Structure formats: C-alpha cells, structure tokens
Amino acid sequence: MATFENISITEDARLLLEKTRRDGVETVWQRHDAQQPQCGYCETGLSCRICIMGPCRIDPFGEGPQRGVCGADADIIVARNLCRMIAAGAASHSDHGRDLVEVLAAVAAGKAPGYRIRDEQKLKSVAAEYGVETDGKDTLAIAAEVADAMMEDYGMRRKSLTLLSRAPEKRRQLWEKIGVTPRGIDRETSEMMHRTHMGVDNGWQSLLLQGLRNALSDGWGGSMIATEVSDILFGVPSPKATTVNVGVLREDQVNIVVHGHNPVVSEMILKACESPDLLALAREKGAAGINLAGVCCTGNELLMRHGIPMAGNHLMTELVLSTGAVEMMLVDYQCIMPSLGTIAGCYHTRMISTSDKARFPGMEHREFHPDNAEKMAAELVREAVENFTRRKQVYIPVQPVNAVGGFSVEAIVGALGGTPEPLLDAIKAGKIRGAVGIVGCNNPKIKHDYGHVTLSRRLIENDILVVDTGCVSVATAKAGLKVPEAIEMAGPGLKEVCGALGIPPVLHLGSCVDNVRILVLASALADALGVDISDLPLAGAAPEWYSEKAATIGTYFVASGVYTVLGPMPPVTGSANVVGLLTEGLNDVVGATFAVEPDPEKAAMLIRRHIEGKRKALGLSSVEV
Ligand code: SF4
Ligand code: MSK
C-alpha cells in the first residue's frame, strides 16, 4: 500500500485515510491494491465476452490465439469494447436527461408539487429552438410542448437532433458528410449495441464512426437536454460564493450530504433543509442548524445554482463518511460506490437510495417521484435531524476553502458585457492564448487530484483559461484556484483579463452533463470568428477519468473538433489500428484527435503546443513550446 502522501495531494484525504485505518474501514485504494495485477487482456481491450461461444482473448504477444471463437480479430474486439463503453456512457447521461424531461412534463401537468418553472426566459428560448410557439401561451402549456418535443429527440422520428443547430454550420456539414449526424438519442445507443452484437458490424472503422455518432447523440442530445431542463426547472446558474473540502461539514449542525448526478432529488432536499419547522426541530435536538453539502455531481448542481458547499469529489465519498459527522447521505445515481452502505454502517450515518433504477447494499430505499418528492424530502430531512442525537465522535480535520462557482455560458457572456467579443479580443491579442475544458473523475490509478490541479496550474501560468466540471471542479477549488485572488497564479495576460472582470482563472461550469456548456461556448466563439470549432485554440482534458461517461464525453469533444488529452489509457492498446485512428487518423475525419498522457506536466506541454499551433494557423501570434 502506498503512503498517504502518495495517494492524495489533499490534506483532508490524507488525514481521513489515517482515520479509516484506525477505524478498520476499507477504502477504494485498498481494494485497488487487492486487485493487482489487473487483467492485461482487459486492460488492452483484448478480451471479449460478448457471446457465450467465448469468453475469448487475443494474445498480444502473438503466441496464443489471434482470433476469438467467432473469428473476430484484435481490431474488431478492441473497437467493439470501446464502442460499448461509449454506448453505456451515452445511455447514462441521456437517461438522466430523460428523467428531467419527465419532471418537466409532470410540472406542466400539475403533477409535481414543489417543482416549478424557475426560468421562464430559458424555457422560451429553448422553446424557440424546438419550434414551439410561445406567443400568448401559458408557461405550463409551453413546458408541456417543449417536454414533448424533447421526447421526440429520444426516438426515431427525426433525421437529426434539434439542438445540433447550436453547432457551427461547418461542423454540421462535416458530420453530414462523414455520416455521423446523430438522429435519435436512444436510437444511436441502441444501434451501437446492435452493431456490436456478434455477427453484425465487423468493420473496426465503421464501428468507431458509429461510436462518434453515439457520443454526439449524448453531447448534443441527452446531456444537452439534461442541462437545459435543469436550468429551466432550477434556474440558470450565476456566480456564487461557496466553500469546499471536508471542512464544510459542521460539528454543531445536522449534516446531510447529497451524492450522485441528478438535481431532481437534491433540490427538494435543499428546500426541506430550509423549512422553519425542521430547523426548529434541529435546535430542539441540540444542533445549531441543518447543513446541506454535496459530493460529486449532484453537489455540483446545487453549488452552481445555490452555492451549496462541496465536501469532496469521487474518491472523497467514502472518506466523507468516516468523519462520523454525516447524519444522512442521500444518493440518486452514477458514481456511487457500492461500498458506501457498508462504510456508513461503521458510523451512525443513514444511507438512503432514492432512484427506482439504483439500489445499493446497506442502504434504505426511499423512492422519489415527481409527485411525492416534496413530501418525501421533508420526511427524510426530519429523520436526518432525529439521527443527530445518535452521533458519536466526530473528526473534521480541516478548515474549508473559499471558491466561486456557477459560471453558466449565460453568466460568462454576461460577465463579458453580453457578447463573447471581449474574450475573442483577448485571445486575438494573445493575452489569453486559448482555453481548455478539464473534465472528469478521480481514479485510484492516479494520485488523487494531482492530475487536475497540476494541469490547471500549468495552463493558467501560461495564460490559458481553464473551465472545469465534475470532480475536477472540486479538486481545483480545494487548491484555491477558484477565487478571484487566484489570478496571482496566472500568467500576466490571463491575470490582466480575469482581474479586470473580477473572475477566477479557473471557471466552474458545473456537473458532468454540463460539459455541454463547453460545447455551446466553443460554438459561440467559432461562430463569432466564422470558423469551425476545430480551428480554435481550444483543448479538452480528462486527467483522472474512470467512467464510461467520461469516455463518451471525450469522444463527443473530439467529434466536435476539440483535441482531448486523457490521463489514464483507455482499453485500446491491443489494436495498433484503433490506437492509430484515435490518436492520428481522426484528424483527417473530424479535425481533432485523442492523446494519452498520464503525467500532467507533459499533458500541459502537449496542450500548449496544440494551442500555439492553432493560433498560428489562424494567423495569430504564436510561440514555440
Ligand atoms: Fe468470442 Fe466472438 Fe463471442 Fe466475442 S463474440 S466472445 S470473440 S466468439
Ligand atoms: S461525478 S462521472 S466521478 S466526474 Fe460526475 Fe465525478 Fe466522473 Fe462521476
């Protein structure tokens, strides 16, 4: 087992890891160690269990089998495995989007007490994109029609997704030309699963092209719908002050933590936490108040809209429980380790699963639906307050760090004075060299938060604006990069621009589905310059990714023209052809590629070189990297 210093760069993680050892609690890092050595066939993508003539594997050293029982070679097997990852990621985010559309429809039908349309303006602008007439119509009638039109995007009646219209014209023409324009959101995932069934698509190139289309159906479809409907129902985010790390838990208050991805449950929990009756009950039980905190992307959703503090990111979720300070953790879905129920059992924490599609060992299941959510949230917050008296020893070893979150595209453009022009001017003048979206998870294979923070620091030092989402956003906030004073760590140009605007050099754009905000911002910049996204000095990075959703995000970034550097290697090295296509060949297809570089210092160099190359091609000043 590595030392705590080698496991995480953050003080709260290290101190809580020591605590878990003292408490005899097993964590993700111990389980990762116990899995060593991990399977080399799976790591290289060379194992296949798609049918039960197998499982099969290909010997990468050429001494054992070179084809599966059906005759599939390394290229087919690797491509099929990657495509199934993309399909699973697209299904996850897009299903999350569908759940929000169902809430929108329930609100419109008057069947979702407690929920309402918080942003009519956004509803109307999205309605216009969907061709829904708004003049003289009641808000709920518009909401019903928008929900209906979005549901159509999930199906097979359309030739292309509605929100693709947000992409630059040149990009849409390119997608059309190469045959990757996504049609229905569910359709592309379903077709991906069909094509990867034994005996269907055995062209590794055609499989990967469908992988691009499937990822695009999420980025410009399901995930984009998730973000838009969240904004309509819960408000378009605007900059909010907040605090981060495990120190946001309060020794003197009832602590409730929300975890997962979908804001539908957590928004109702927040409402209940503000109830005067429940606050009075908390005081009766000896607590000074009710403190709601988030982890992972459900937390990001609340942070973006309400400034709710974040206790940690993916690899902190087990450690947060080991403080002994959490009265209740409520989970919805995605990135929730099945170990959490067991860990909570070592403390007084009550663990509640809330989604009909996500159950976990050691958790009580209390299902939320639009019609019962308000009532259920009040009941559960009451039970959390009552649990305060069962609390034993508490260990909250750090003080929270300040941060600012809530930078939707609307907020960024607002800060720029209503148009992206000032940002473009700063890029043209070379004060800002370019921008990078850093996204994704933590992974025990990479020192916790090291990839995120090191890469962000190196980029801002070199006058590159960073926008981040998901678990990265907590890492950079904990490192102090998300306050206006962080401009002191930026290069002179970025410092000047961010200083004048009063914004940090690392902007928090939200949760994992909110990566689509990066696509929208990139499109606005491309349109303003009259070029394609792939011409811009932009890049994406996922320095510590682990999930299938991150594979999908990376793929829709690349398919949208954004060069993307991954930290951990995806399981593709078993096929030189697939690796070649992803890292070089795609340039000729979509004008962007993947790169893989686990060392964030080297990743920063790759990205800077890419950005300077794009600047040069645009006729802007460039430097040798
Ligand atoms: Fe083996 Fe082919 Fe079946 Fe895969 S699909 S398990 S390679 S026989
Ligand atoms: S929560 S997908 S670990 S970013 Fe979105 Fe974090 Fe990755 Fe989950």
Side-chain angles (χ1 to χ4, degrees):
M1 186 78 189
T3 61
F4 300 137
E5 279 67 31
N6 291 334
I7 290 177
S8 174
I9 62 164
T10 68
E11 195 191 0
D12 54 354
R14 290 175 183 174
L15 292 170
L16 285 168
L17 265 166
E18 276 178 36
K19 167 96 168 19
T20 57
R21 294 304 151 80
R22 290 198 297 274
D23 293 353
V25 167
E26 180 192 83
T27 64
V28 60
W29 288 280
Q30 283 155 307
R31 295 191 297 274
H32 179 253
D33 272 3
Q35 284 291 338
Q36 301 310 312
Q38 287 171 306
C39 173
Y41 294 109
C42 293
E43 216 162 42
T44 51
L46 285 171
S47 56
C48 181
R49 52 173 180 76
I50 277 175
C51 86
I52 58 162
M53 292 192 286
C56 305
R57 76 252 181 264
I58 303 292
D59 183 347
F61 305 108
E63 286 164 12
Q66 292 305 297
R67 288 183 188 276
V69 175
C70 66
D73 62 13
D75 296 334
I76 298 172
I77 289 177
V78 168
R80 272 198 312 220
N81 287 335
L82 178 64
C83 285
R84 284 200 164 196
M85 280 187 91
I86 293 170
S92 309
H93 272 158
S94 296
D95 198 38
H96 163 169
R98 186 199 337 267
D99 286 341
L100 281 152
V101 176
E102 286 188 339
V103 176
L104 183 66
V107 169
K111 291 184 178 157
Y115 295 101
R116 63 189 171 90
I117 308 294
R118 293 247 182 94
D119 199 315
E120 283 191 33
Q121 173 110 25
K122 181 104 190 198
L123 173 67
K124 286 187 179 158
S125 70
V126 173
E129 290 181 271
Y130 272 88
V132 171
E133 188 54 61
T134 53
D135 278 353
K137 254 192 221 154
D138 160 75
T139 305
L140 293 185
I142 300 170
E145 281 188 50
V146 167
D148 225 46
M150 286 174 163
M151 284 174 189
E152 286 290 340
D153 265 343
Y154 278 86
M156 55 176 279
R157 297 225 195 136
R158 300 217 167 125
K159 289 205 171 65
S160 80
L161 302 180
T162 311
L163 297 176
L164 288 184
S165 59
R166 294 178 172 187
E169 176 72 24
K170 284 185 182 164
R171 185 67 12 195
R172 279 181 278 144
Q173 282 171 0
L174 175 71
W175 289 334
E176 204 53 42
K177 190 172 122 208
I178 61 173
V180 299
T181 301
R183 299 153 296 177
I185 297 164
D186 288 345
R187 177 180 183 163
E188 302 309 351
T189 296
S190 180
E191 183 169 320
M192 192 77 264
M193 295 306 286
H194 178 193
R195 285 185 185 225
T196 50
H197 186 279
M198 192 324 253
V200 186
D201 192 353
N202 287 288
W204 58 271
Q205 299 100 324
S206 51
L207 277 167
L208 292 171
L209 268 184
Q210 174 61 18
L212 299 186
R213 177 154 62 174
N214 193 183
L216 288 170
S217 78
D218 177 35
W220 297 87
S223 277
M224 202 167 272
I225 285 176
T227 291
E228 296 308 298
V229 179
S230 296
D231 284 358
I232 290 168
L233 289 172
F234 308 121
V236 175
S238 57
K240 301 266 178 324
T242 188
T243 50
V244 290
N245 82 22
V246 100
V248 305
L249 298 179
R250 298 283 304 264
E251 193 155 358
D252 61 344
Q253 296 198 15
V254 173
N255 291 306
I256 300 178
V257 177
V258 285
H259 179 9
H261 278 75
N262 195 317
V264 164
V265 169
S266 49
E267 283 278 343
M268 281 297 132
I269 296 291
L270 169 61
K271 202 170 164 201
C273 288
E274 290 165 349
S275 141
D277 286 357
L278 292 171
L279 286 166
L281 181 67
R283 283 190 291 274
E284 220 174 88
K285 299 285 173 192
I290 306 174
N291 178 40
L292 181 64
V295 290
C296 281
C297 282
T298 290
N300 277 318
E301 297 275 356
L302 287 184
L303 189 162
M304 287 287 284
R305 297 192 176 86
H306 308 284
I308 294 300
M310 282 290 271
N313 50 9
H314 178 54
L315 287 186
M316 289 298 299
T317 55
E318 295 181 317
L319 300 179
V320 164
L321 296 177
S322 74
T323 58
V326 180
E327 271 58 54
M328 183 177 279
M329 181 184 271
L330 295 114
V331 307
D332 48 87
Y333 43 54
Q334 298 171 17
C335 305
I336 297 149
M337 288 193 241
S339 60
L340 290 179
T342 312
I343 295 179
C346 303
Y347 305 95
H348 77 304
T349 307
R350 284 188 58 194
M351 294 294 303
I352 312 290
S353 56
T354 59
S355 164
D356 59 344
K357 57 188 92 173
R359 310 252 177 163
F360 302 87
M363 293 195 196
E364 298 166 53
H365 189 66
R366 305 280 285 275
E367 217 163 281
F368 276 62
H369 295 282
D371 59 344
N372 75 353
E374 188 177 33
K375 198 161 156 269
M376 181 72 88
E379 269 171 35
L380 283 166
V381 171
R382 174 176 296 276
E383 291 172 31
V385 169
E386 277 159 2
N387 199 24
F388 183 72
T389 54
R390 292 181 56 237
R391 193 191 269 187
K392 296 187 184 78
Q393 232 179 1
V394 163
Y395 180 61
I396 305 172
V398 292
Q399 289 299 315
V401 172
N402 290 330
V404 179
F407 289 92
S408 56
V409 175
E410 290 87 336
I412 294 172
V413 173
L416 293 169
T419 144
E421 284 299 330
L423 180 56
L424 272 180
D425 291 345
I427 292 174
K428 285 184 199 159
K431 288 181 184 168
I432 297 182
R433 312 301 299 170
V436 176
I438 309 185
V439 309
C441 328
N442 298 129
N443 184 327
K445 292 178 175 174
I446 303 257
K447 186 174 181 176
H448 171 236
D449 287 354
Y450 172 71
H452 301 324
V453 173
T454 309
L455 180 60
S456 301
R457 279 185 194 278
R458 292 300 164 266
L459 295 178
I460 64 170
E461 278 165 17
N462 287 286
D463 287 328
I464 293 171
L465 178 71
V466 170
V467 297
D468 64 15
T469 61
C471 289
V472 185
S473 60
V474 185
T476 54
K478 279 167 78 166
L481 302 181
K482 281 209 171 82
V483 282
E485 302 77 53
I487 56 171
E488 296 307 327
M489 291 180 248
L494 187 62
K495 179 177 173 179
E496 183 191 322
V497 177
C498 292
L501 295 168
I503 58 172
V506 177
L507 302 179
H508 183 202
L509 259 66
S511 65
C512 293
V513 293
D514 290 339
N515 284 313
V516 304
R517 298 190 200 272
I518 299 175
L519 297 181
V520 173
L521 189 58
S523 299
L525 294 177
D527 285 343
L529 269 181
V531 298
D532 195 357
I533 295 175
S534 54
D535 299 320
L536 295 171
L538 302 180
E544 302 181 29
W545 73 287
Y546 90 88
S547 88
E548 290 161 318
K549 292 178 293 169
T552 315
I553 293 163
T555 307
Y556 72 62
F557 268 23
V558 169
S560 300
V562 181
Y563 168 72
T564 299
V565 181
L566 304 175
M569 176 65 84
V572 295
T573 51
S575 164
N577 280 330
V578 171
V579 171
L581 183 72
L582 297 177
T583 57
E584 287 172 28
L586 279 180
N587 221 358
D588 298 331
V589 185
V590 290
T593 60
F594 283 101
V596 180
E597 180 47 73
D599 178 345
E601 301 280 1
K602 292 183 186 157
M605 295 299 281
L606 288 178
I607 289 172
R608 288 181 54 209
R609 214 168 284 150
H610 170 79
I611 282 179
E612 293 300 333
K614 291 290 173 188
R615 291 186 61 86
K616 195 170 177 189
L618 281 171
L620 304 176
S621 66
S622 66
V623 295
E624 281 296 316
V625 178

